[in-house]
Amino acid sequence: MKTIGLIGGMSWESTAEYYRLLNEFTRDRLGGLHSARCVLYSVDFAEIEHLQVQNRWTEAGEILGEAARALEAAGADMVLLCTNTMHKVADQVEAAVSIPLLHLADATADAVRASGLRRVGLLGTAFTMEQDFYRGRLEAGGLEVRVPEADGRATVHRVIYEELCRGVVREESRAAYRKVIADLVAGGAEGIILGCTEIELLIASEDSPVPVFPTASLHAAAAVNAALSAD
């Protein structure tokens, strides 16, 4: 099995889920006592969030690029950014190393296409929903992407940073997300992308009338497939 390099800590709540998922998928594939061969570099999210809100993305990319170099030096055969939002600097991270970056949006688009769907609603941070770095990648993969109205986007973003990244899961927030999802479905969405790795702590398939695509789970599954491939 190839070694999977994880850049995590954004937030650590979802990074812990990545570790669990990687090991579960590996056990399911190989059986017995098998677990994933992986290396984790976990950053201080407070530093990254500070740079996000100040629009200092290049500096944030430098931090994550250094993390990627450390993973490569530690023997990683591939790199995963365990966050949707910070794929804004994916090109910087990819350029910092000679090993491949497994892009989260590509893994997600592959899963949506495999389901036979094309028109999807996207939930995530305001950066992910409103900027082109992620939506554009999905659209380049053949998807039609819709996002919530302004009030819905504000609610989704607030819950991520004020609750989920802090390990807080509230039923009233689940209800609010369900309303946002219902509005997207009423507007024609055939599926919902949980485009922030923390959202999977709050929302599951039973919370949506259409299929959901949990990006952390899809990313982890793609990583295990790549790590177990013969290439």
Side-chain angles (χ1 to χ4, degrees):
M1 183 176 189
K2 301 181 185 72
T3 300
I4 302 167
L6 307 171
I7 303 178
M10 298 168 285
S11 68
W12 71 260
E13 297 283 349
S14 62
T15 303
E17 286 296 294
Y18 263 87
Y19 184 69
R20 178 183 64 80
L21 290 163
L22 288 172
N23 285 296
E24 287 182 352
F25 290 144
T26 301
R27 180 193 62 201
D28 291 346
R29 287 282 299 275
L30 300 180
L33 295 176
H34 284 288
S35 54
R37 190 182 299 274
C38 58
V39 183
L40 169 64
Y41 189 114
S42 189
V43 303
D44 180 358
F45 189 36
E47 295 178 3
I48 300 298
E49 190 271 343
H50 177 71
L51 295 173
Q52 287 177 343
V53 298
Q54 293 196 339
N55 203 33
R56 294 160 60 186
W57 295 98
T58 299
E59 292 173 64
E62 290 169 355
I63 293 171
L64 301 189
E66 180 57 37
R69 284 190 289 271
L71 290 172
E72 185 173 24
D77 297 299
M78 67 192 75
V79 173
L80 275 66
L81 266 174
C82 301
T83 158
N84 287 274
T85 298
M86 292 312 297
H87 276 73
K88 183 174 173 71
V89 299
D91 288 347
Q92 267 185 276
V93 176
E94 195 167 27
V97 291
S98 60
I99 56 177
L101 171 76
L102 187 61
H103 201 290
L104 203 164
D106 293 344
T108 301
D110 287 346
V112 175
R113 285 196 305 271
S115 75
L117 304 181
R118 288 293 182 272
R119 190 181 307 115
V120 290
L122 173 63
L123 305 182
T125 67
F127 309 110
T128 300
M129 292 185 289
E130 295 172 2
Q131 298 181 22
D132 189 56
F133 69 91
Y134 194 86
R135 291 174 58 183
R137 187 97 174 195
L138 294 172
E139 289 165 351
L143 305 185
E144 180 184 332
V145 181
R146 302 182 179 191
V147 298
E149 298 295 332
D151 288 350
R153 296 198 304 272
T155 295
V156 171
H157 181 90
R158 179 192 61 77
V159 169
I160 290 168
Y161 279 92
E162 295 182 10
E163 299 176 18
L164 301 179
C165 286
R166 303 167 190 262
V168 176
V169 176
R170 294 192 170 119
E171 284 302 318
E172 54 265 40
S173 296
R174 182 176 286 113
Y177 269 54
R178 286 173 173 166
K179 173 62 166 60
V180 173
I181 290 170
D183 288 345
L184 286 168
V185 172
E190 303 168 323
I192 301 294
I193 293 174
L194 307 183
C196 175
T197 53
E198 281 78 22
I199 294 177
E200 289 160 65
L201 304 174
L202 180 68
I203 295 298
S205 58
E206 58 265 27
D207 296 304
S208 170
V210 296
V212 299
F213 296 90
T215 54
S217 297
L218 296 172
H219 203 198
V224 170
N225 286 339
L228 293 175
S229 70
D231 297 335

